[in-house]
Amino acid sequence: SEEMFWANRCKKPVLLCSPQGKKGISSWLFATLPHQLMFDSWYELLGYLERVDQGIETETYGRWHFFDL
């Protein structure tokens, strides 16, 4: 968990997948990470990454920075 906290402090993308769904995630994680970066399944997480890659996902939550060279 320390690696997750450190990455979050550095504003790096931390994506969380819980097989029990968001309701199964400990409440202390909701105080740490944006809930939009928590997913109920790997398919949801992969869909999010595909939308980020395609430029469809425009809300970055201060985690993603894109350079157009």
Side-chain angles (χ1 to χ4, degrees):
S1 61
E2 182 57 34
E3 290 85 359
M4 180 182 62
F5 287 126
W6 184 253
N8 188 51
R9 277 180 247 145
C10 294
K11 297 296 184 186
K12 294 182 180 181
V14 177
L15 308 175
L16 183 70
C17 178
S18 172
Q20 298 85 12
K22 281 188 176 183
K23 294 181 182 189
I25 297 174
S26 296
S27 57
W28 62 270
L29 280 170
F30 283 95
T32 305
L33 301 172
H35 75 91
Q36 297 91 339
L37 300 179
M38 299 179 187
F39 302 92
D40 293 332
S41 70
W42 289 109
Y43 294 108
E44 282 186 30
L45 192 148
L46 181 59
Y48 171 78
L49 289 176
E50 287 173 347
R51 291 190 306 277
V52 167
D53 183 51
Q54 295 169 1
I56 298 169
E57 187 71 45
T58 57
E59 179 56 60
T60 64
Y61 310 105
R63 285 3 190 217
W64 300 97
H65 300 283
F66 301 98
F67 299 96
D68 186 8
L69 302 175

